[in-house]
Structure formats: structure tokens, C-alpha cells
Amino acid sequence: MEAPQWFPDELARAGDEHLDPEYVRDYDRKAGTDLTGEVALLHDLGLNETHILVDLGAGTGTLALAAAPLCRRLVAVDVSAPMLALLEEKAERLGIENIECVQGGFLSYEHRGEPADFVYSKNALHHLPDFWKALALERISSILRQGGVLRIHDPLFSFDPPEAERIIEAWLASVAEQPEHGWTRPDIEKDIREEFITFSWLLEPMLERASFEIRDARHEARRAYSAYTCIKVR
Ligand SMILES: C[S@@+](CC[C@H](N)C(=O)[O-])C[C@H]1O[C@@H](n2cnc3c(N)ncnc32)[C@H](O)[C@@H]1O
């Protein structure tokens, strides 16, 4: 279905670096993500071999590749073709056959088949401004079965506006000094300036309005990152 003219171009807001094959090749090393705890959590939340999991903003597939062996069908969705190309390459190398890669975004992905049991999204929702986040959460809710789980991680500010300068400066002081070791101060400054990181206390009512009950909310000590486990209750 064609999107209305007033819909944003998700590719244009995906972050230029995510569309750059050279940057994407180096993404896993830079991210250094260890999802062992996260996969154990999905297992504890009931993810099993009968289930469908949709990973939105899947990137190079770190979670998708780790979770696919636990479920029946894993749909990895991302707007970036280079990200999905690397994900497919890694899946082939690992002999994982139950991952479907779909090029699409929070606002354009059309789910096919049975409703999803789990939706996962890490470090991607902040690419949308708040109005569009609310619409994206509504779309996520519509693809999940009742009782389904949404697990979401994102940069989120869990402080009040007057604390912004102090907390953001403390965050910037804690990041990698060299690009070889991760994202540096200029990278994070650009993200804060150009992307749409919001407050946790703005996202939470959006989740509730989209028929989610927040079962668990964790805010990092730096107060610049949060993770939620939510259940679709209506
Ligand atoms: C920082 S990466 C995170 C990738 C992966 N989830 C991870 O944790 O390693 C953000 C990803 O979100 C994707 N992205 C950006 N905007 C998006 C959108 N509107 N819909 C879906 N994916 C999007 C980017 O292409 C990129 O792959």
C-alpha cells in the first residue's frame, strides 16, 4: 500500500552512516554488543520454537541471529539495504535458515502471516520524531497478538529538562576516546543534535496508549538509555 504524501521518508532519517557499506562492515566491531543476557531474557519471557519474532531496525542482525535458533520464524526489518545484506551474509555463514530479511521501516513494514508473538527493537526508534514514534508503536501493537511481548531498548533521557546539560555532559565525558573503541564524543553529539532521542516519561504514555502494559523499565545510571519489557494487553 502506498504511503500518504505526508508520511516521512524513513530512509532519509535512518542516519547516513547506516546506509554506508563501509561503516556497516565495521558496525559489529564498533558496537561490541553482547546479547547473551538479552537472549536469556527472551527465553525467560517464553520465546519458543512455535513463535514469531519481528526485529525492527535489526541492523546487522546481532539479536536476530542469536534469537533465531529459539523461535520458528524471525523477521528482520531494516530500512538500510547494506545492513540487511550483511545480516543475510552472516545468517548464510552460520547456516541459520529461519530469518527473513525485509527492507522496511517502523512506518512501512507490512507484516504478513500470523501475528507476531514478540517484537524486538534496539537503538532504532529514536530515528523517528515523537509523533511518528507514537504511530510506530501503534503499528507494532497491530502486528502483535494479544499477550505478545514488546522488548525495546533505546537512548532515552530519564531526567527532567533542567538537568539536561549536566547529564548530557556527563554522558559525553564517559564515551570512547578513540573511534576504534566505540562511538566518540562527536558521534554522540551528532546523534543528540540530529536524531530524536526523547524523554522516557514521554515514551511511557505512548506505550500505554498503544495498548502496552509496561512490565519492566530499566533506566541506565547515566540516565541516557532505557529498556522496557511490555505486554500487549488490549
Ligand atoms: C544503531 S543501529 C541498531 C541496529 C541493531 N538494532 C543493533 O542494536 O545493533 C539503528 C538501525 O536502525 C535502522 N533504522 C533507522 N531508522 C529506521 C526506521 N525508521 N525503521 C527501521 N529501521 C530504521 C538503521 O538502518 C540501523 O540499522
Coordinates of all heavy atoms in Angstrom, one line a residue, residues 10-11 13-15 17-19 23 27-28 31 33 35 55-63 77-81 83 104-108 120-128 183 225, ligand 1:
E10 N 11.5 7.5 5.7 CA 12.3 6.9 6.8 C 13.8 6.7 6.4 O 14.6 6.7 7.3 CB 11.7 5.5 7.2 CG 10.4 5.7 7.9 CD 9.8 4.4 8.4 OE1 9.0 3.8 7.6 OE2 10.0 4.0 9.5
L11 N 14.0 6.4 5.2 CA 15.4 6.2 4.7 C 16.2 7.5 4.9 O 17.4 7.5 5.4 CB 15.4 5.8 3.3 CG 16.6 5.0 2.7 CD1 16.9 3.8 3.5 CD2 16.3 4.6 1.3
R13 N 15.9 9.5 7.2 CA 16.2 9.8 8.7 C 16.9 8.7 9.3 O 17.0 8.6 10.6 CB 14.8 10.0 9.4 CG 14.2 11.3 9.0 CD 12.9 11.5 9.7 NE 12.3 12.8 9.4 CZ 11.1 13.2 9.7 NH1 10.3 12.4 10.4 NH2 10.7 14.4 9.4
A14 N 17.4 7.7 8.5 CA 17.9 6.5 9.1 C 19.4 6.7 9.6 O 19.9 5.8 10.3 CB 17.9 5.4 8.1
G15 N 19.9 7.8 9.4 CA 21.4 8.1 9.7 C 22.2 7.7 8.5 O 22.2 6.5 8.2
E17 N 25.2 7.1 8.1 CA 26.2 6.1 8.3 C 25.6 4.7 8.2 O 26.3 3.8 7.7 CB 26.9 6.3 9.7 CG 26.0 6.0 10.9 CD 25.1 7.2 11.3 OE1 24.9 8.1 10.5 OE2 24.6 7.2 12.5
H18 N 24.3 4.5 8.5 CA 23.7 3.2 8.4 C 23.5 2.8 7.0 O 23.1 1.6 6.7 CB 22.4 3.2 9.2 CG 22.6 3.4 10.7 ND1 21.8 4.2 11.4 CD2 23.6 3.0 11.5 CE1 22.2 4.3 12.6 NE2 23.3 3.6 12.7
L19 N 23.7 3.7 6.0 CA 23.4 3.4 4.6 C 24.8 3.3 3.9 O 24.8 3.1 2.7 CB 22.6 4.5 4.0 CG 21.3 4.9 4.7 CD1 20.6 6.0 4.0 CD2 20.4 3.7 4.9
Y23 N 30.9 1.7 6.6 CA 30.6 1.9 8.0 C 29.9 0.6 8.5 O 30.2 0.1 9.6 CB 29.7 3.1 8.2 CG 29.2 3.4 9.6 CD1 29.9 4.2 10.5 CD2 28.1 2.7 10.1 CE1 29.5 4.4 11.8 CE2 27.6 2.9 11.4 CZ 28.3 3.8 12.2 OH 27.9 4.0 13.5
Y27 N 30.5 -2.1 11.7 CA 29.5 -1.8 12.8 C 29.6 -2.8 14.0 O 29.6 -2.3 15.1 CB 28.1 -1.9 12.2 CG 27.0 -1.6 13.2 CD1 26.6 -0.2 13.5 CD2 26.4 -2.5 14.0 CE1 25.7 0.1 14.4 CE2 25.5 -2.2 14.9 CZ 25.1 -0.9 15.2 OH 24.2 -0.6 16.2
D28 N 29.7 -4.1 13.7 CA 29.7 -5.0 14.8 C 30.9 -4.8 15.8 O 30.7 -4.9 17.0 CB 29.7 -6.5 14.3 CG 28.3 -6.9 13.7 OD1 27.4 -6.1 13.9 OD2 28.3 -7.9 13.0
A31 N 30.2 -1.7 17.8 CA 29.1 -1.8 18.7 C 29.5 -2.7 19.9 O 29.1 -2.5 21.0 CB 27.8 -2.3 18.0
T33 N 28.5 -5.5 20.8 CA 27.3 -5.9 21.6 C 27.3 -7.3 22.0 O 27.6 -8.2 21.2 CB 26.0 -5.7 20.7 OG1 26.1 -4.5 20.0 CG2 24.7 -5.8 21.5
L35 N 24.8 -9.9 23.5 CA 23.3 -10.1 23.8 C 23.0 -11.3 24.5 O 21.8 -11.8 24.6 CB 22.5 -10.0 22.5 CG 22.5 -8.6 21.9 CD1 21.8 -8.6 20.5 CD2 21.8 -7.6 22.8
D55 N 12.1 -8.3 14.5 CA 13.1 -7.3 15.0 C 13.1 -6.1 14.1 O 13.4 -6.2 12.9 CB 14.5 -8.0 14.9 CG 15.6 -7.2 15.6 OD1 15.3 -6.0 16.0 OD2 16.8 -7.6 15.6
L56 N 12.7 -5.0 14.7 CA 12.5 -3.7 13.9 C 13.8 -2.9 14.0 O 14.1 -2.5 15.2 CB 11.3 -3.0 14.3 CG 10.0 -3.7 13.9 CD1 8.8 -3.1 14.7 CD2 9.7 -3.5 12.4
G57 N 14.4 -2.5 12.9 CA 15.7 -1.8 13.0 C 16.8 -2.8 13.4 O 17.6 -2.5 14.2
A58 N 16.7 -3.9 12.7 CA 17.6 -5.1 13.1 C 19.0 -4.9 12.8 O 19.9 -5.6 13.4 CB 17.1 -6.3 12.3
G59 N 19.4 -3.9 12.0 CA 20.8 -3.6 11.7 C 21.5 -4.9 11.1 O 21.0 -5.6 10.3
T60 N 22.7 -5.1 11.7 CA 23.5 -6.3 11.1 C 23.0 -7.6 11.7 O 23.6 -8.6 11.5 CB 25.0 -6.1 11.5 OG1 25.1 -6.0 12.9 CG2 25.5 -4.8 10.9
G61 N 22.0 -7.6 12.6 CA 21.3 -8.8 13.0 C 21.9 -9.5 14.2 O 21.7 -10.7 14.4
T62 N 22.6 -8.7 15.1 CA 23.2 -9.3 16.3 C 22.1 -10.1 17.1 O 22.3 -11.2 17.5 CB 23.9 -8.3 17.1 OG1 24.7 -7.5 16.3 CG2 24.7 -8.9 18.2
L63 N 21.0 -9.4 17.3 CA 19.9 -10.1 18.1 C 19.2 -11.1 17.2 O 19.0 -12.2 17.7 CB 18.9 -9.0 18.6 CG 17.7 -9.4 19.5 CD1 16.5 -10.0 18.8 CD2 18.2 -10.4 20.6
V77 N 13.7 -6.6 10.1 CA 13.3 -5.5 9.3 C 14.3 -4.3 9.5 O 14.6 -4.0 10.6 CB 11.9 -5.0 9.8 CG1 11.4 -3.9 8.9 CG2 10.9 -6.2 9.7
D78 N 14.7 -3.7 8.4 CA 15.5 -2.5 8.5 C 15.3 -1.7 7.2 O 15.1 -2.3 6.1 CB 17.0 -2.9 8.7 CG 17.8 -1.8 9.4 OD1 18.1 -0.8 8.7 OD2 18.1 -1.9 10.6
V79 N 15.5 -0.4 7.3 CA 15.4 0.4 6.1 C 16.7 0.4 5.3 O 16.7 0.7 4.1 CB 15.1 1.9 6.4 CG1 13.7 2.2 6.7 CG2 16.0 2.4 7.6
S80 N 17.8 -0.1 5.9 CA 19.1 0.0 5.3 C 19.4 -1.3 4.5 O 19.6 -2.3 5.1 CB 20.2 0.3 6.3 OG 21.4 -0.1 5.8
A81 N 19.6 -1.1 3.2 CA 20.0 -2.3 2.4 C 21.4 -2.9 2.8 O 21.5 -4.1 2.9 CB 19.9 -1.9 0.9
M83 N 22.8 -2.9 5.7 CA 22.7 -3.6 7.0 C 22.1 -5.0 6.7 O 22.6 -6.0 7.2 CB 21.7 -2.8 7.9 CG 22.4 -1.6 8.5 SD 23.5 -2.0 9.9 CE 23.9 -0.4 10.6
G104 N 12.4 -2.3 5.1 CA 11.2 -1.5 5.5 C 11.5 -0.8 6.8 O 12.5 -1.0 7.4
G105 N 10.5 0.0 7.2 CA 10.7 0.8 8.4 C 9.6 0.6 9.4 O 8.6 -0.1 9.1
F106 N 9.7 1.3 10.5 CA 8.6 1.2 11.5 C 7.3 1.6 10.9 O 6.2 1.1 11.3 CB 8.9 2.2 12.7 CG 10.0 1.8 13.6 CD1 11.3 2.4 13.5 CD2 9.8 0.8 14.5 CE1 12.3 2.1 14.3 CE2 10.9 0.5 15.4 CZ 12.1 1.1 15.3
L107 N 7.3 2.5 9.9 CA 6.1 3.1 9.4 C 5.7 2.5 8.1 O 4.6 2.8 7.6 CB 6.2 4.6 9.2 CG 6.6 5.4 10.5 CD1 7.0 6.8 10.1 CD2 5.5 5.3 11.5
S108 N 6.5 1.6 7.6 CA 6.2 1.0 6.2 C 6.2 -0.5 6.2 O 5.6 -1.1 5.3 CB 7.2 1.5 5.2 OG 8.5 1.1 5.6
Y120 N 10.9 -7.0 18.8 CA 12.1 -6.5 19.5 C 12.6 -5.3 18.7 O 12.5 -5.2 17.5 CB 13.2 -7.6 19.4 CG 14.4 -7.3 20.2 CD1 14.5 -7.7 21.6 CD2 15.5 -6.7 19.7 CE1 15.6 -7.5 22.3 CE2 16.6 -6.4 20.5 CZ 16.7 -6.8 21.8 OH 17.8 -6.5 22.5
S121 N 13.2 -4.3 19.4 CA 13.8 -3.2 18.7 C 14.8 -2.6 19.6 O 14.6 -2.2 20.7 CB 12.7 -2.1 18.3 OG 13.3 -1.2 17.5
K122 N 16.0 -2.5 19.1 CA 17.1 -1.9 19.8 C 17.8 -0.8 19.1 O 18.2 -0.9 17.9 CB 18.1 -3.0 20.2 CG 19.3 -2.5 21.0 CD 20.1 -3.6 21.7 CE 21.0 -3.0 22.6 NZ 22.3 -3.6 22.6
N123 N 17.9 0.4 19.7 CA 18.6 1.5 19.2 C 18.1 2.0 17.8 O 18.9 2.4 17.0 CB 20.1 1.2 19.1 CG 20.7 1.0 20.5 OD1 20.1 1.2 21.5 ND2 22.0 0.6 20.5
A124 N 16.8 1.9 17.6 CA 16.3 2.3 16.3 C 15.2 3.3 16.4 O 15.1 4.2 15.5 CB 15.9 1.1 15.5
L125 N 14.3 3.2 17.4 CA 13.1 4.1 17.5 C 13.4 5.6 17.5 O 12.7 6.4 17.0 CB 12.3 3.7 18.7 CG 10.8 4.2 18.7 CD1 10.0 3.7 17.5 CD2 10.1 3.8 20.0
H126 N 14.6 5.9 18.1 CA 15.0 7.3 18.2 C 15.2 8.0 16.8 O 15.5 9.2 16.8 CB 16.2 7.5 19.1 CG 17.4 6.9 18.6 ND1 17.7 5.6 18.6 CD2 18.5 7.5 17.9 CE1 18.8 5.4 18.0 NE2 19.3 6.5 17.6
H127 N 15.2 7.2 15.7 CA 15.3 7.8 14.4 C 14.0 8.5 14.0 O 14.0 9.2 13.0 CB 15.7 6.8 13.4 CG 17.1 6.4 13.5 ND1 18.2 7.2 13.0 CD2 17.7 5.4 14.1 CE1 19.3 6.6 13.3 NE2 19.1 5.5 14.0
L128 N 12.9 8.3 14.8 CA 11.7 9.0 14.4 C 11.3 10.0 15.5 O 11.5 9.8 16.7 CB 10.5 7.9 14.5 CG 10.5 6.8 13.4 CD1 9.3 5.9 13.6 CD2 10.6 7.3 12.0
W183 N 31.8 4.5 19.9 CA 31.3 5.8 19.5 C 31.9 6.9 20.4 O 32.0 6.8 21.6 CB 29.8 5.9 19.5 CG 29.3 5.1 18.3 CD1 29.2 5.6 17.0 CD2 28.8 3.8 18.3 NE1 28.7 4.6 16.2 CE2 28.5 3.5 16.9 CE3 28.6 2.7 19.2 CZ2 28.0 2.2 16.5 CZ3 28.2 1.5 18.8 CH2 27.8 1.3 17.5
Y225 N 19.7 6.1 28.6 CA 19.4 4.9 27.9 C 18.4 4.1 28.8 O 18.6 4.0 30.0 CB 20.7 4.1 27.7 CG 20.6 3.1 26.7 CD1 20.8 3.4 25.3 CD2 20.2 1.8 27.0 CE1 20.7 2.4 24.3 CE2 20.1 0.8 26.0 CZ 20.3 1.1 24.7 OH 20.2 0.2 23.7
Ligands
LIG1 C1 22.1 2.0 15.8 S1 21.5 0.8 14.6 C2 21.0 -0.5 15.6 C3 20.9 -1.8 14.9 C4 20.6 -3.0 15.8 N1 19.3 -3.0 16.3 C5 21.6 -3.2 16.9 O1 21.2 -2.9 18.1 O2 22.8 -3.4 16.7 C6 20.0 1.6 14.1 C7 19.3 0.8 12.9 O3 18.0 1.3 12.8 C8 17.8 1.4 11.4 N2 16.7 2.4 11.2 C9 16.8 3.7 11.2 N3 15.6 4.3 11.0 C10 14.7 3.2 10.9 C11 13.3 3.1 10.7 N4 12.5 4.2 10.5 N5 12.7 1.9 10.6 C12 13.5 0.8 10.7 N6 14.8 0.8 10.9 C13 15.4 2.0 11.0 C14 19.1 1.8 10.8 O4 19.2 1.5 9.4 C15 20.1 0.9 11.6 O5 20.3 -0.3 11.1

